[in-house]
């Protein structure tokens, strides 16, 4: 997966791309978006790669139908 190595905090990514933070967190857990830095302690932000977030959000927002499992890690 191509990355930009441009860091973005999970909550900022959620706000900027219109995706709920728990959804982004699940995508990070599944490897759908690239995690640049894990939160070292509770309350600290998880840092994601912005390009991977933008790509995943664009794909998801095309058809986010409720109950659909459109986001799965490939490979």
């Amino acid at each position: 997966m191509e990355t930009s190595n441009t860091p973005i905090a999970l909550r900022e990514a959620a706000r900027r791309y219109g995706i709920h933070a728990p959804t982004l967190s699940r995508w990070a857990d599944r490897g759908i978006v690239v995690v640049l830095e894990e939160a070292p302690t509770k309350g600290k932000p998880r840092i994601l790669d912005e390009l991977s977030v933008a790509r995943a959000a664009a794909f998801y927002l095309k058809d986010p139908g409720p109950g659909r499992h459109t986001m799965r890690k490939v490979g």
Side-chain angles (χ1 to χ4, degrees), residues 43-55:
K44 297 290 182 182
R46 193 174 203 184
I47 306 299
L48 307 176
D49 174 70
E50 188 168 9
L51 180 60
S52 67
V53 172
R55 286 183 174 166

Side-chain angles (χ1 to χ4, degrees), residues 19 27 54-65 68 70-71:
I19 305 293
W27 291 356
R55 286 183 174 166
F59 178 80
Y60 178 75
L61 292 172
K62 278 194 232 177
D63 184 19
R68 301 234 0 222
T70 57
M71 300 299 288

